[in-house]
Amino acid sequence: MGPINYLSFSGIASCILSLGSAVLVFSKNPKKLLNRTWALFSLFVSLWAFGFFWAFFLQEKSVVLFWARFLNMVALFIPILFLHFALEFSEKSKKYKVPLIFFYSITVVYFLSTIFKPPWFVSSVSLKEGILYPDAGPLYYFFPILYAILVCLGIWFLFKEYQHSQGARRNQIKYLFAAMAIGFSGGVTTFPLVFNIPIYPFGVYGPTVLSVIIAYAITKHKLLDISVVIKKA
């Protein structure tokens, strides 16, 4: 499979599976904030993957530029939604409400700035490693920093929850760690080439694997059903 087909196929696979995860979790309990948070997280991963598919399916410069800006703008919300999910899963969202609002505000302001000045975010696309790939504008340099901060915070809260949990709850968090490790480490590989660092985005299947692991854990291990965990404990 050529590099273009590899990337476009990974995009459509992640899009379908992440959307399925969003629908599955939301339909199980649409009133629960934990489920809504995960559904939103999965929805934005699906939108990111949808943009990824179109950016690499046609490989026409104007088309790639449009979808490259779209997928990166959408991706801004993925780390903050992950942090929100991690806090909600750890039952600490109320305790850290102010920091959460602060990071949401930063994300929204950042997103709006990319809408008003898209060339400052993704300036253009150029041929890199045999594919047309985005070029970073001055606003883009903040993205990996924000991504790292929010993802690391989310993982930290899940780790603290893991330390104080046992039984079924502890087993659930293991699935979360496995899924997030694969998903986010895969997402990280999409950054270097934007900055002309010759590292191919080989980890784009990470979000696909993430969605599969979480969907399995939800159906087999009641991942987002805290009441079941409490009963088992």
Side-chain angles (χ1 to χ4, degrees), residues 198-211:
I199 298 176
Y200 188 80
F202 59 86
V204 290
Y205 275 103
T208 310
V209 179
L210 182 154
S211 298

Side-chain angles (χ1 to χ4, degrees), residues 114-181:
T114 65
I115 289 180
F116 288 113
K117 294 289 184 180
W120 290 12
F121 188 51
V122 175
S123 60
S124 59
V125 293
S126 58
L127 195 63
K128 307 174 185 181
E129 301 296 308
I131 55 175
L132 284 173
Y133 209 77
D135 296 311
L139 282 176
Y140 197 94
Y141 286 82
F142 181 60
F143 186 15
I145 298 171
L146 184 65
Y147 181 96
I149 291 172
L150 296 180
V151 170
C152 287
L153 282 173
I155 291 173
W156 170 253
F157 282 114
L158 288 177
F159 176 70
K160 297 299 288 184
E161 181 69 12
Y162 176 80
Q163 286 184 315
H164 296 97
S165 63
Q166 57 184 347
R169 178 73 164 173
R170 196 178 183 90
N171 195 42
Q172 287 183 333
I173 299 173
K174 287 180 182 178
Y175 277 99
L176 276 176
F177 273 134
M180 297 307 167

Side-chain angles (χ1 to χ4, degrees), residues 1-27:
M1 183 181 288
I4 294 174
N5 290 333
Y6 173 85
L7 292 172
S8 60
F9 181 79
S10 68
I12 198 63
S14 292
C15 176
I16 293 170
L17 289 169
S18 297
L19 184 60
S21 177
V23 172
L24 174 66
V25 171
F26 185 76
S27 63

